[in-house]
Amino acid sequence: EVPNPPAPSPRLSARAAKLRRELYKDGSKPSEDERSHGHGGGYGGGSGYYGGGRSTGLDREGRWIHEGREIKRRPLVKLFSRIIKREAGLYYLVTPVEKWQIQVDVAPFFIISAQREMRHSRQAILLTTSTGESIVLGHDNPLWVEFEADSDAPTPLVKVRGNLTGLLSRGTYYQLVEWGQELQLDEGTPGLYVESMGQYFRLGSLE
């Protein structure tokens, strides 16, 4: 949970104003629906909370969308990736003075590549997000695969940081499948697993 901070300094207020100008650089303004979600727990300084969920968010492949158009300004996208938070299953962009609720189709990060290397005499799988962050698959950053009801289509996810996850691209997932090995762990059903930093992660069933 993100606590309400004290009243912002003029410098922070200016930074939030700059962020908002960047978001609405094309001349659009926050919609009435975005402003209608304001509440008494706002972040002060005349700014506060914006709903924003219908106009700003992330699609399945990690592209930031605003008013139906992709946000392609790299510095802004990287900034958003640093200030995104998840609270009670909902996603927000949070600065010291403002908070926007956003829509996330699957996960707030998109994993675009995987590579293997040796660390402490063990195989390590390094995953990279579309915003340039790198994580090592392991105990602190586990991987799991979800399946939609009545579907065999996998949704491979990995913990990126905190309670934020990343969706593996199809190519990245298939790369892990190539590196996988058939195992039967803990008397469970046989499956395909990939190993990283001494941990085994199930990629799917062999049936």
Side-chain angles (χ1 to χ4, degrees), residues 18 28-29 33 70 81 103 119 145 160 171 177 182:
K18 181 180 179 180
S28 61
K29 299 294 182 183
D33 177 70
E70 182 180 358
S81 73
Q103 177 68 38
R119 295 193 178 189
V145 180
V160 175
V177 168
E182 299 179 14

Side-chain angles (χ1 to χ4, degrees), residues 19-26 66 70-80:
L19 173 62
R20 193 194 297 180
R21 285 197 302 270
E22 284 294 316
L23 184 60
Y24 297 102
K25 200 169 185 178
D26 61 356
H66 178 64
E70 182 180 358
I71 299 173
K72 295 185 177 180
R73 294 192 293 279
R74 186 73 176 174
L76 186 59
V77 168
K78 295 194 75 169
L79 172 62
F80 286 173

Side-chain angles (χ1 to χ4, degrees), residues 2-203:
V2 179
N4 287 344
S9 68
R11 179 179 294 180
L12 290 177
S13 297
R15 188 178 300 169
K18 181 180 179 180
L19 173 62
R20 193 194 297 180
R21 285 197 302 270
E22 284 294 316
L23 184 60
Y24 297 102
K25 200 169 185 178
D26 61 356
S28 61
K29 299 294 182 183
S31 66
E32 193 65 31
D33 177 70
E34 287 178 310
R35 295 181 180 276
S36 67
H37 291 78
H39 58 73
Y43 280 16
S47 51
Y49 172 89
Y50 288 90
R54 296 182 181 177
S55 63
T56 305
L58 283 150
D59 69 8
R60 184 180 179 88
E61 296 185 354
R63 291 183 293 247
W64 282 90
I65 307 297
H66 178 64
E67 300 289 349
R69 289 177 287 183
E70 182 180 358
I71 299 173
K72 295 185 177 180
R73 294 192 293 279
R74 186 73 176 174
L76 186 59
V77 168
K78 295 194 75 169
L79 172 62
F80 286 173
S81 73
R82 292 196 298 267
I83 64 174
I84 190 170
K85 308 289 182 183
R86 185 182 183 187
E87 303 173 18
L90 300 177
Y91 293 92
Y92 302 89
L93 294 179
V94 180
T95 75
V97 293
E98 291 193 302
K99 181 177 181 180
W100 291 274
Q101 182 182 338
I102 62 172
Q103 177 68 38
V104 175
D105 283 358
V106 179
F109 292 95
F110 191 60
I111 310 300
I112 59 172
S113 69
Q115 65 182 66
R116 291 187 293 186
E117 57 185 49
M118 295 300 294
R119 295 193 178 189
H120 309 292
S121 301
R122 295 186 295 185
Q123 173 176 274
I125 294 179
L126 188 68
L127 302 175
T128 303
T129 72
S130 59
T131 52
E133 293 186 51
S134 295
I135 60 173
V136 176
L137 189 60
H139 180 269
D140 295 332
N141 299 97
L143 177 146
W144 66 97
V145 180
E146 298 178 355
F147 293 89
E148 298 180 6
D150 303 322
S151 173
D152 293 330
T155 301
L157 299 164
V158 64
K159 177 182 174 181
V160 175
R161 63 171 184 264
N163 61 355
L164 301 177
T165 60
L167 172 68
L168 275 66
S169 69
R170 183 176 300 179
T172 302
Y173 175 66
Y174 288 155
Q175 179 66 79
L176 297 187
V177 168
E178 287 186 14
W179 294 339
Q181 50 187 310
E182 299 179 14
L183 295 172
Q184 183 174 358
L185 302 180
D186 300 325
E187 299 183 356
T189 58
L192 186 66
Y193 291 80
V194 66
E195 185 267 333
S196 178
M197 298 303 293
Q199 303 283 316
Y200 289 86
F201 302 96
R202 188 182 178 95
L203 298 174

